[in-house]
Amino acid sequence: MKTRNGLFDGRTKRGMKHRMRRYRHAVIALSSFFFVMNGCVPAPQTPGHRPEVEVTPQATPTQDLANMTPEWAYQQGMTALNQQALDEAIQYFQLAAQRDAMYLQAYIGLGDVYTLKDEYLLAESFYEKVLKYDPDSVAAYLSLGKLSSKKGDFRQAISFCRKALELEPSNAAAQQQLAQVTEELFAQHYEQGKAYKDAGDIENALVEFQKAHSLKSDDIECTVEIGDLFLRQKDYMMAEGYFQDVLTKNPNYVPAIVAMGKAKLAQQQYAEAYSRFYPAR
């Protein structure tokens, strides 16, 4: 209470101090309550400095969801495969299959990895698993074709490529793979035929050259080789048939012209032989 001279007495001053302490305690308690409710504890601050706020980066729910999909795991596996990180690729492809057992691209990826690792039986088992659930999988047939080529079984590889083209005739990858495998098998038979011919084994040489010819009937060098072998066997009709086939395609192909002249000369058809040899001079 105020006295007559306008001053507070001692009891009044003590009461005001007591109320101020209670007020400060209430403010501090309320502040602590709000910090606890917000999940954070205020860090001690230096007087006169502005508080610093730390921001912790977190993945968004959309990113987390994307990283949980089999598509994401498969793409990671393909990236690893293209970088020749084969063991890492296997882990990602297996993860994709775990997240979706019917995500068949994952099995194709696993097969491709094991093909590169020369584990052919394991690779084939993954491709066959795909065909079990999707008998029309062009990707599976093309992968089986690559596996067969790597094993050196080019005829089986051609069979798989042709199956893929039956399902999808305009598939450029299948067309390219078929052409490549055909060329490899042709070269194999052609070189084997020349080896037999040089060794004097005419019959086996003829078999190999004819196998090559069945793959690329437009290869004129191979066609002349077959005709020459028939000429050595004195089968002039067959020999001339192959030589004429070449000359129909390329009338100026000198080896075929000379070979036809030899066939005519062997049959004592001198005038015709001369007519063949003369332009080839």
Side-chain angles (χ1 to χ4, degrees):
M1 295 180 63
K2 279 188 177 182
T3 62
R4 290 180 181 180
N5 59 8
L7 300 174
F8 293 99
D9 60 16
R11 289 180 300 173
T12 303
K13 289 181 180 180
R14 286 194 298 272
M16 289 181 66
K17 290 181 180 180
H18 179 69
R19 284 195 295 271
M20 288 297 294
R21 283 197 298 270
R22 292 178 59 187
Y23 175 75
R24 286 196 298 270
H25 291 163
V27 170
I28 293 172
L30 186 60
S31 298
S32 299
F33 172 77
F34 279 118
F35 278 117
V36 171
M37 292 299 292
N38 289 329
C40 60
V41 177
Q45 302 294 333
T46 304
H49 286 74
R50 185 176 179 178
E52 296 182 358
V53 179
E54 294 185 3
V55 179
T56 302
Q58 295 181 351
T60 65
T62 302
Q63 291 174 329
D64 290 339
L65 183 61
N67 292 349
M68 289 298 291
T69 64
E71 290 83 0
W72 175 85
Y74 173 76
Q75 291 301 328
Q76 295 299 312
M78 289 302 298
T79 299
L81 177 59
N82 292 333
Q83 296 173 351
Q84 295 296 304
L86 302 185
D87 292 335
E88 182 180 347
I90 289 174
Q91 292 177 358
Y92 278 117
F93 289 139
Q94 288 177 337
L95 181 60
Q98 289 171 4
R99 291 175 176 175
D100 183 355
M102 291 304 295
Y103 194 78
L104 301 182
Q105 295 97 313
Y107 303 118
I108 295 289
L110 286 167
D112 291 346
V113 172
Y114 285 113
T115 295
L116 290 175
K117 291 170 73 73
D118 295 336
E119 297 184 37
Y120 301 130
L121 290 178
L122 188 55
E124 188 174 357
S125 70
F126 284 112
Y127 299 142
E128 294 295 343
K129 185 170 186 175
V130 173
L131 291 174
K132 177 181 178 181
Y133 294 105
D134 182 11
D136 295 336
S137 174
V138 172
Y141 284 116
L142 290 180
S143 291
L144 282 167
K146 292 177 182 178
L147 184 151
S148 298
S149 293
K150 201 164 186 290
K151 291 166 59 178
D153 191 349
F154 297 116
R155 287 201 175 276
Q156 184 65 61
I158 288 174
S159 177
F160 284 128
C161 291
R162 286 175 176 169
K163 179 62 178 178
L165 285 171
E166 287 178 13
L167 296 168
E168 199 173 307
S170 61
N171 188 295
Q175 294 170 352
Q176 182 179 0
Q177 187 172 326
L178 177 60
Q180 181 180 351
V181 175
T182 300
E183 185 65 36
E184 289 174 346
L185 183 57
F186 170 84
Q188 185 183 73
H189 287 305
Y190 185 84
E191 293 303 321
Q192 188 63 55
K194 292 199 72 171
Y196 279 129
K197 180 182 177 181
D198 293 342
D201 190 343
I202 303 303
E203 291 186 2
N204 281 322
L206 188 56
V207 169
E208 293 298 326
F209 280 129
Q210 286 179 323
K211 286 180 179 179
H213 187 264
S214 69
L215 295 167
K216 291 180 62 179
S217 59
D218 59 342
D219 189 283
I220 56 179
E221 292 184 19
C222 181
T223 306
V224 170
E225 290 284 4
I226 295 173
D228 183 63
L229 291 175
F230 278 118
L231 182 59
R232 294 189 184 193
Q233 292 180 330
K234 298 183 179 181
D235 190 338
Y236 303 121
M237 184 177 294
M238 288 294 294
E240 289 184 9
Y242 281 98
F243 298 147
Q244 188 57 52
D245 180 47
V246 174
L247 293 172
T248 300
K249 297 172 182 175
N250 185 354
N252 299 317
Y253 189 64
V254 174
I257 295 173
V258 172
M260 182 67 84
K262 290 180 179 179
K264 296 298 183 181
L265 186 61
Q267 299 174 75
Q268 298 182 352
Q269 298 175 5
Y270 302 116
E272 292 190 38
Y274 178 79
S275 67
R276 298 289 180 176
F277 287 134
Y278 186 80
R281 291 183 305 167

